[in-house]
Amino acid sequence: MPPPPEPASPESPSPGRRLLGRAALGRAGRAALLATGRPPVPDAIEPLVQAHRRHHPQADLALLSRAYRTAEESHRGQKRKSGEPYITHPLAVTMILAQLGAETTTLVASLLHDTVEDTEVTLDQVAAAYGPEVAYLVDGVTKLEKVDFGAAAEAETFRKMLVATGDDVRVMVIKLADRLHNMRTIRHMKPASQVRIAKVTRDVLIPLAERLGIQVVKTELEDIVFATLHPEEYARTRALIAAQEAAQDALLSPFAAALRRQLAESGVSGEVTVRPRHCVSVHRALLRRGPSGPVGLVGRPHPADLARLLVVVEETADCYAVLGELHTCWTPLPGEFKDFVAAPKFNLYQSLHTAVSVDGALVEVLVRTPRMHRIAEFGVVALGSPHQAGADQTGRDELDGTDPARPGWLSRLLEWQQETPDPDAFWSTLTADLSDDGEITAVTEEGATLVLPVGASCVDAAYQLGEEIGHRCIGARVNGRLVALATALADGDVVGILTEPGGGPGGPEPTGPSPQWLEFAHTPGARIAIERWLAGHARPEPAGQAVHAVDSVASVEAAHVVDAAQVPPAGQGAPSAPPAPHGAVERPATARPAGGHGRLVVAPGHPGAAVRLARCCTPVPPDRVTGFQIRGGSIAVHRTDCPTGERMRGSGRGPVQLDWSPEAGAAATGAPAPFRVTLQAEALNRPGLLADLTAAMSATGLDIVSAVVEPPQELRVRHTYTVELPRAATLPVVMRAMLRVSGVYDVRRPGLEAPRPPRLRPNSRAAGNADDQAPGPVRPSKGMRDRSAALSAVDGQPEKP
């Protein structure tokens, strides 16, 4: 007699129940789904639905199913280059977006994104069936026809996408997913097409993915582009990574375990994982170390080059707790700590970065919260639709005061693209703008935040504050110190832009930029504004005037330079003859033919000797001069009151008798004979003094080579200018023009160093403020304060001491 069957336990279902689960569960599930009012979804999008529900459990699956059916019917019969049905492409693109966490509207637009471009479906039909929001996204990623735009179709398509992205960033998100799937299947394209598509991806799409913060898309695109354009280097790098995996695990796994224990002991809850670097990141690390071995081969990677540690903690405060534990228990490497939590990157990225020494090897560690991690991986997609109620707007870009729907970099890009109607110019400017590999954050002295590309100069900062400010810019301060406009800004700099007066409606037209600004204007917005100004305000350069590749305080007559490198520390006097600013076209001391006696100076008894005018005292006819022979047989010409000449005389060097040649001043003949001269102006400090002085000097037709402004002392300030005069007779005219500037009480040429006056003398500016008549013959004199030697005649009469 067989034993009775054992009762089925709840843990071990009966065969009948198992049969129901295998055969009828699908029917029962569909019946239950129908009972709830939800229609079944097509089998083809089941994986898509599952990925979407992980991020959006309450998603409208009926809308998604309807969009799939429309796309499938529209693309039916079409094939891809690989031979697969075309519907596989929109399905794959939509799966990428679902895995990123995009909301339903984006997925619907993704399924339909090629219907208007490649099928008979019209944009109006999409709008009628799915609403204007979906239609806008589909239109944004639809390519322009080559029939209508010819060779400019690609550039104009990207312009159209960028403009659409300015209103809805999801347009570019769909385009990036579309390009990612096309790159995954690029092997089916012709070799020439592979190279062309890979280069466009490298130059435009990857930088855009970086700016939108979508790192998972950016890194995969980088690796595919690397494999397409440089297959041998890609294969070699992959082989190096595979060879070092064991060493990497031996170093990082024990360190990760030790860090977990340390965090547990300190009461910090966090997940520690080893995060491998992608292939391009490893290759860059090897290139930074430099080549080794055979030509063309990079060095072998260290284990730490292949991966980093990622620590994900619950709260922002825990990030700094982890940092404390790391720096306490392991040796931190100086200069490797970066706080992107307190100061996020322009693409919303937040993490703490540090590096510690582990068994003699450098190991990088990233620390972030779960929300920071989502944004670091998925960028703007993790913030949800900017037009949807309840979207995560806490990711607002605090760096430039905009929200993720329109990042600051995108606003600036859209501004300059309007100024470049030519497709070729737009494309070259776009690729140049996107090629910048990073951004910096500077702060104005008024507290405004400026986000600029790495390498941006003070001119770029001026134009980012506004085109009017850029056109009126005459100088800049960085961290309280006067600097050249060509100076490249660094992260965290405090910038002050000096402008000429007269801004606002109804004010005088600004002097405007100099053509030389284009040599160090880094941002497209600044370059376009400068080029537009120069096109509408063309002015010829004075004959014989050398061009300076330095920053300029532009004027009607010439360009003026503010050279920050010559600003002395507080309490020190200005140098008597500042050197030429960095980047200037250096001129020899004579700047004139120096054969024989020279054209300017007569040296009897020394035929054929080269004659050079000394920089220290900058002699100008009719100064009393003397000469000294220097190395090479040349004769250095100094003013008789020059301290350097006095020292040379004291060292036993015999002076050489010489005098100015009759044509040196060129006052009568008008022949060009430029002279470099140093002038010092003593003034009461006030706003706009620098602008007024340079404007007054420029009106006389000279070229300002450099300017030094010392820190004010007791409300007084000293400006030292090195100028190049078109002729000697211009010097007294320049000095009178400087004395007419409000606040200036003395102008002199530095010779023997004279101290600042202890107090202002009454009526010290009386002569200079009068309406001077045309100057008479130039004669030497003691000048304004016993050491000047040029302002020597008024109304043809010598000035009284």
Side-chain angles (χ1 to χ4, degrees), residues 739-764:
L739 278 170
R740 292 192 187 100
V741 175
S742 175
V744 178
Y745 59 82
D746 196 8
V747 176
R748 71 187 190 93
R749 294 174 61 201
L752 293 173
E753 189 62 33
R756 291 175 181 265
R759 57 187 175 83
L760 301 182
R761 296 178 297 196
N763 302 321
S764 63

Side-chain angles (χ1 to χ4, degrees), residues 239-425:
L240 289 173
I241 293 173
Q244 291 291 319
E245 284 183 353
Q248 165 200 325
D249 187 65
L251 173 69
L252 297 182
S253 295
F255 175 49
L259 182 56
R260 290 189 197 98
R261 290 193 300 269
Q262 186 62 34
L263 294 181
E265 292 175 3
S266 61
V268 178
S269 176
E271 180 183 352
V272 183
T273 57
V274 176
R275 184 176 178 84
R277 291 178 182 266
H278 65 292
C279 187
V280 169
S281 180
V282 173
H283 186 71
R284 287 173 182 154
L286 299 178
L287 290 178
R288 283 195 297 268
R289 186 176 301 124
S292 64
V295 177
L297 293 179
V298 295
R300 295 186 65 81
H302 296 169
D305 292 335
L306 306 178
R308 299 181 287 190
L309 247 62
L310 173 65
V311 183
V312 179
V313 294
E314 295 179 355
E315 303 291 340
T316 301
D318 294 337
C319 294
Y320 295 95
V322 172
L323 184 70
E325 296 297 327
L326 278 167
H327 288 188
T328 300
C329 301
W330 290 272
T331 303
L333 275 71
E336 295 293 332
F337 170 65
K338 297 180 180 66
D339 189 346
F340 296 119
V341 172
K345 287 186 178 182
F346 64 95
N347 58 2
L348 308 180
Y349 175 87
Q350 286 183 288
S351 284
L352 294 181
H353 288 210
T354 190
V356 295
S357 178
V358 179
D359 297 334
L362 177 150
V363 176
E364 294 185 35
V365 183
L366 312 180
V367 188
R368 58 180 69 146
T369 65
R371 182 184 173 278
M372 294 177 191
H373 183 60
R374 289 195 305 273
I375 295 176
E377 295 290 289
F378 308 135
V380 295
V381 183
L383 304 176
S385 168
H387 307 290
Q388 194 175 41
D392 183 2
Q393 294 300 314
T394 58
R396 186 177 182 84
D397 189 351
E398 299 294 342
L399 292 182
D400 51 9
T402 60
D403 59 68
R406 180 119 177 209
W409 62 266
L410 179 58
S411 298
R412 294 189 294 274
L413 188 151
L414 293 174
E415 289 171 5
W416 67 251
Q417 70 86 22
Q418 295 176 354
E419 307 296 334
T420 52
D422 179 67
D424 292 336

